[in-house]
Amino acid sequence: MTTRNRFNIPTLEEYLEFVRGADRKTGAFLEIRAAPQADLPVAADESGTAGDPLPLPLPVAVKDNIAVRGLHLTCGSRMLEGLISPYTATAVERLQRAGATVVGKTNLDEFGMGSSTENTPLGRTVNPWNHDLVAGGSSGGSAVAVAQQLVPVALGSDTGGSVRQPAAFCGVYGLKPTYGTVSRYGLVAYASSLEVIGVLGADIATVAQTYRVMRGLDEHDHSSVDHPADSRGAVRTIGVLRGELGLDPAVARNYAETERVLKGLGYRIKPVTLTTLEYVVPAYYTIASAEASANLARYNGVRYGYRPVYAENPEELVRKARSEAFGREVKTRILLGTYVLRSGFQDQYYTRAQKIRTLIRRELEEVYREVDVLLMPVFPVQAFPRADAAGEPSAAHASSTAGTALDAFQQKVADRFTSTANLAAVPALTVPSGLENGLPVGMQLMGPAFSEERLFSVASALAGEIPLRFPPGTRSWPETQGLAPQGEGAGGP
Ligand code: GLN
């Protein structure tokens, strides 16, 4: 079978050169290389004589915790540094069959644990709007690759907000699908009952198309489900949160403004109070850490991954491998997970968290009897300063209005709006909702299970009123080739 590159053979290398050059500024990628596709069966419409054009003839960037054969699979961890994946995730394979070309692997917080893409020794990713700020995380590299216009679409994973939060920080779309609609086969496990592969993109039609190509039952993932046809009608009523939400003034202003725009588009707005919101973070971190401690037990320095230079005996080998190769945040989570699962204490923590999870899901089900979709903040603040940016000269960004850095605990507390959707297994979509202080803000649309298409419809309506903006100075590949006009709405405010 011949190797076929569906992204226009003569320009692929040049295109990769463009990505390499532009990526020097922001560090979205850990690896920039086109994935081999030679052994994909040729679909009926690829005969070159007849058939519809492939539905997704685009370059795609993939978060480095999702397997792509022939490319690295580091999970942003020293533990897996140098590992080349021998297989491809189902979601990625479906995109490749639809004509997509994987062009590289993007940076992330180690094993997806974090909200800033700073928890990794393997790369340094900054926010393209202001290099002193974090990109968000853990799919920060994928968000930056899209915001920098290096790729039109990128894959991420969302366990507690890791697609939606960096999408908001960088000003792009970010979809976390309903749990199980996209196969997790090939996604390196962090917290299996919460996570799903998601899509980041620069326009809502491409995000929707990418999702449609990826979704569906997979024999390799027994938690995968088929997407039942959504029989509900058009979205009419949108719920907005009332009560003390603890939002930064700029985010609060943008939330109110987005509500006003939706009202102007003819949606009925209904105030909603989520009484379970304050329990989301403790429940999420109890469950996520418990699952992480079990999932990460496989990294023991024996079968694959990091191996210490010297060990006296097997015990020492395992201890050294894990203490030398895992980063601080990962170790914290493993310890926390082991703590909440230890015998005699499960009722107090893990079982209780599962009960709270049920309450959160039930409250949302009640809410969706009254409203079709919820409009929620994504994160209480905009992109915050990088920990290593303090004191660095930032001449290029002298007008920085950045707030204060968030420590690891504050970052966790701020996950309350995103983790809700993971605990309830429902879909949620970050939409770019304009600029505040010269930086992007994103809001999320959250719906009942399998309501992705309705989220897309509201997002499309909103896009007509609040167009996506790219960071000043960025240019897409077609623009550099004179193939497209300068991006609509590109540039500053
Ligand atoms: N910030 C959350 C965490 O650290 C979300 C991570 C994710 O979705 N992968 O767990």
Side-chain angles (χ1 to χ4, degrees), residues 63 65 109 111-116 119 137-139 157-164 190 195 284-285 288 329 333 379 411-412 415 418-419 422:
K63 185 178 182 177
N65 62 349
D109 288 301
F111 287 102
M113 298 178 190
S115 304
S116 66
N119 299 338
S138 62
S139 314
S157 63
D158 195 310
T159 311
S162 279
V163 162
R164 291 162 285 155
Y190 155 22
E195 61 207 3
Y284 168 77
Y285 275 97
E329 185 62 31
R333 309 265 182 126
F379 210 70
Q411 288 182 33
K412 291 183 179 70
D415 280 342
T418 49
S419 304
N422 304 79

Side-chain angles (χ1 to χ4, degrees), residues 241-247 273 277 416-417:
L241 298 186
R242 292 289 187 255
E244 185 40 62
L245 300 176
L247 302 178
T273 320
L277 199 57
R416 58 188 177 274
F417 300 113

Side-chain angles (χ1 to χ4, degrees), residues 137 139 156-158 161-168 174-176 196 198-200 430:
S139 314
S157 63
D158 195 310
S162 279
V163 162
R164 291 162 285 155
Q165 187 259 23
L175 170 71
K176 173 234 175 281
V196 61
V199 187
L200 299 102
T430 289

Side-chain angles (χ1 to χ4, degrees), residues 438-460:
L439 287 176
V441 192
M443 291 293 150
Q444 62 178 332
L445 300 163
M446 195 181 288
F450 308 115
S451 64
E452 281 81 355
E453 294 296 334
R454 311 174 99 208
L455 303 185
F456 299 148
S457 77
V458 180
S460 305

